[in-house]
Amino acid sequence: MPRAASHTAGWLVLAALLIALPHALSFSQQEVLVFLTINVLLVASYRLLTLTGEWSLGHVVIMGVGAYASALYSKQLGIYVPVSMILGALTAVLVAMVLSYPLFRMKGFYFLIGSFAAGEIIRLLWKRFRDPFGGPKGIKKIDPMPDFDIGIYSFDFFEPVSYYYFALAVVALSLWVMWRIERSPVGLTFHAVHWQDKLAQSAGVDVRAYRTRAFLIASGFAGLSGALLAHYIGTINPNSFDVELMVFVLTWAIVGGTATFYGPILGCVVLSILNEVVLRELGFEQMRPFIYGLLLICSVLFMPKGLESVVQYFMRRRPGNAVAKAQRTGGPAQYEAERGTET
């Protein structure tokens, strides 16, 4: 089978599985599936930021900006919920733009700490002002997605299956856009800024502008994930976007690996399944921070390239793979095959 045809068939099989998946789960598991889908968008957007070499501790708060903004637009201004979600994502971009001016005067560890401080300031503002943010109790009775009928399926958004399909469509489109950005000249420049920032700057690249651009794009998608969350659960508060969730996002990204597009998504899915299927069923859910921390340490020590390295290993070993054939035969073909794999 030609490579393009096999890829198309693989995507069609994956799409069929994702569509059929909720019907094989219980009601509570369907709700977990909705949260997992939203978290996939969150962690994928976080990886987009890390392409430039910067790691943030305020990404979850930016998600909260999108959630609060979308909730307020729909609840207080009466804006149609899908439109308020888009406006919430744009508000997250505007807040990120304001934060980018002080934050991108810093790099590395200082950027990490600065992003944490900026996020905590925003969370304290949510707690301090009851109008309009609701204070410590947050915002309740957020407008849900309005139901609609497309002929072959009626969307009742009080049912997790309907919201899962809606979130899946939004997340799939968002992932496709991020994937295209990463493979565009802009995305290649992000990589150059990460690995050879001095060389890129000497070639005329405005390093700070490209880091800011990655930050704004990632913040927009994070804000969209927050809007999806807010209109599903119907209530949000400052504790919904605290540093504990940020640690989980970091863990998903590091355990999954950030060298590939699918690495953080793989980490999010595997660790979420571990939490919901293993820890909750065995009654160890309260130990999740400890177990996540242990997994993070073990990943750094024994699997520094993350779970994506396991996938790459089996892909290299599959029959018909050029690299596997070159390793068996040796010679110049091995060098060319390995070089092509690294690219």
Side-chain angles (χ1 to χ4, degrees), residues 231-247:
H231 292 283
Y232 178 64
I233 61 178
T235 178
I236 53 174
N237 61 71
N239 294 331
S240 303
F241 310 101
D242 60 8
V243 71
E244 182 180 356
L245 179 57
M246 188 66 241
V247 171

Side-chain angles (χ1 to χ4, degrees), residues 106-309:
M106 301 174 274
K107 287 181 59 178
F109 175 77
Y110 300 101
F111 178 87
L112 189 74
I113 298 303
S115 64
F116 172 73
E120 286 301 296
I121 290 172
I122 293 174
R123 286 206 323 118
L124 289 174
L125 290 175
W126 292 339
K127 287 186 175 182
R128 172 65 179 80
F129 293 100
R130 294 184 179 275
D131 187 14
F133 303 121
K137 294 183 179 180
I139 303 175
K140 299 180 180 179
K141 298 181 180 180
I142 299 172
D143 295 347
M145 270 289 296
D147 300 338
F148 64 91
D149 191 340
I150 60 173
I152 60 174
Y153 188 84
S154 296
F155 285 86
D156 178 4
F157 289 106
F158 284 102
E159 295 292 330
V161 175
S162 293
Y163 204 89
Y164 163 73
Y165 286 141
F166 171 70
L168 181 65
V170 173
V171 172
L173 178 61
S174 300
L175 292 179
W176 180 80
V177 171
M178 283 187 279
W179 182 80
R180 294 292 297 175
I181 289 173
E182 183 176 345
R183 279 152 183 77
S184 70
V186 173
L188 295 176
T189 307
F190 289 162
H191 285 283
V193 168
H194 180 188
W195 297 108
Q196 296 289 345
D197 58 340
K198 298 297 183 183
L199 181 60
Q201 193 168 10
S202 68
V205 173
D206 189 336
V207 172
R208 181 177 175 182
Y210 272 91
R211 285 194 170 119
T212 302
R213 191 172 300 176
F215 184 50
L216 298 184
I217 297 172
S219 297
F221 286 111
L224 182 58
S225 69
L228 287 171
L229 179 67
H231 292 283
Y232 178 64
I233 61 178
T235 178
I236 53 174
N237 61 71
N239 294 331
S240 303
F241 310 101
D242 60 8
V243 71
E244 182 180 356
L245 179 57
M246 188 66 241
V247 171
F248 291 151
V249 174
L250 283 171
T251 306
W252 296 334
I254 295 172
V255 172
T258 56
T260 63
F261 186 81
Y262 62 82
I265 298 174
L266 182 62
C268 178
V269 171
V270 170
L271 292 182
S272 297
I273 292 174
L274 172 69
N275 177 64
E276 300 299 331
V277 177
V278 179
L279 300 184
R280 180 169 291 184
E281 292 296 329
L282 296 178
F284 294 148
E285 190 178 8
Q286 297 299 321
M287 297 180 64
R288 182 169 68 160
F290 168 76
I291 295 175
Y292 268 38
L294 184 63
L295 287 172
L296 182 61
I297 293 172
C298 292
S299 176
V300 171
L301 292 177
F302 305 111
M303 198 166 51
K305 294 183 179 180
L307 292 172
E308 63 188 8
S309 63

